[in-house]
Amino acid sequence: MLTPKQKDLLMFIHQRVTETGVPPSFDEMKLALDLKSKSGIHRLITALEERGFIRRLPHRARALEIVKMPEFAMQPRLGDRTADRHGSLSPSGRDGQGRPRSQLEASIEPAFLGSGATTVPMMGRIAAGVPIAAIQSHTQDVGVPPDLLRGKGEHFALEVKGDSMIEAGIMEGDTVIIERCSTAGNGEIVVALVDQEEATLKRLRKRGASVALEAANPAYETRIFGPDRVEIQGRLVGLIRRY
């Protein structure tokens, strides 16, 4: 699922390519979306590439190729590819091997049912790597052992994408159980929404008036933001892994 800004950018790129045959520049994209900096455009471009909607071509200026369009645009995907090299999903909700939208979503819910489990809603994917839209929509319920939940507060599940939290024991494909909250303690692993656009699973560090989102993988840099740019949507309370 794309965020509103990601949808706007994809449609703008598609319109310009259709009209002129040339993708817009970063400055043109920044003006069209009324963003203050090119870094915001860079994050949106990266997110669209991660999801398989666009491809960046090396060694060429303005080298953006649209690979597919989402269902909301009522456009067929370009070409006959059913999935890109990262396994991105087609609008039908199935990947290139014909598997459902997520093997985890399709099979994890029976794992603990019938053994005193409760259920929490699966709300999409969370990035442990490049930020993506996180809390998307309720796709199904996931069976969870009661002792993974913290108290009687609201909880939800997210599927992990990426490897930025591997040294905290969180792997790609894991399902994390999140307690919904708007505040968290220093050092807790949280779902953080950045600039009201993209979300990520990171360790929260408070540095004076700033907020740092810290990875548990030396390949990823700690990102530091002003407090008005980061919104806490929940904190990690449990994890489910299938072998």
Side-chain angles (χ1 to χ4, degrees), residues 5-181:
K5 285 290 188 184
Q6 290 164 3
K7 292 177 183 178
D8 290 345
L9 181 59
L10 182 60
M11 293 304 296
F12 178 63
I13 295 171
H14 174 70
Q15 178 183 351
R16 289 297 299 272
V17 171
T18 301
E19 292 175 351
T20 70
V22 179
S25 68
F26 270 43
D27 282 326
E28 290 168 335
M29 289 186 268
K30 178 170 71 75
L31 289 174
L33 271 68
D34 194 26
L35 295 181
K36 295 181 179 179
S37 70
K38 293 181 184 178
S39 62
I41 293 296
H42 177 75
R43 288 196 298 270
L44 294 174
I45 289 288
T46 299
L48 289 172
E49 186 177 31
E50 285 264 320
R51 289 159 180 75
F53 288 99
I54 64 175
R55 179 184 296 115
R56 281 185 275 202
L57 305 177
H59 313 304
R60 290 173 55 186
R62 297 193 184 190
L64 294 177
E65 176 187 15
I66 294 180
V67 176
K68 65 182 180 181
M69 293 295 289
E71 287 181 314
F72 74 83
M74 300 298 292
Q75 294 280 349
R77 292 189 305 145
L78 304 183
D80 59 359
R81 293 177 292 272
T82 57
D84 71 3
R85 63 188 178 87
H86 298 296
S88 297
L89 299 170
S90 69
S92 67
R94 307 188 79 85
D95 67 10
Q97 285 70 49
R99 295 173 300 201
R101 183 171 300 274
S102 162
Q103 288 183 322
L104 226 167
E105 289 177 11
S107 62
I108 197 169
E109 70 274 16
F112 298 100
L113 296 179
S115 58
T118 186
T119 60
V120 299
M122 170 68 80
M123 301 296 287
R125 289 181 173 180
I126 182 68
V130 177
I132 61 175
I135 302 177
Q136 300 169 359
S137 59
H138 181 184
T139 58
Q140 67 175 50
D141 290 332
V142 176
V144 177
D147 58 2
L148 284 187
L149 305 183
R150 182 180 295 180
K152 296 183 178 180
E154 183 180 356
H155 294 76
F156 57 92
L158 293 165
E159 183 181 349
V160 175
K161 178 178 174 61
D163 62 356
S164 72
M165 298 302 290
I166 56 174
E167 292 189 3
I170 302 170
M171 311 294 182
E172 181 163 19
D174 287 349
T175 294
V176 288
I177 309 302
I178 305 297
E179 178 189 22
R180 193 182 294 274
C181 62

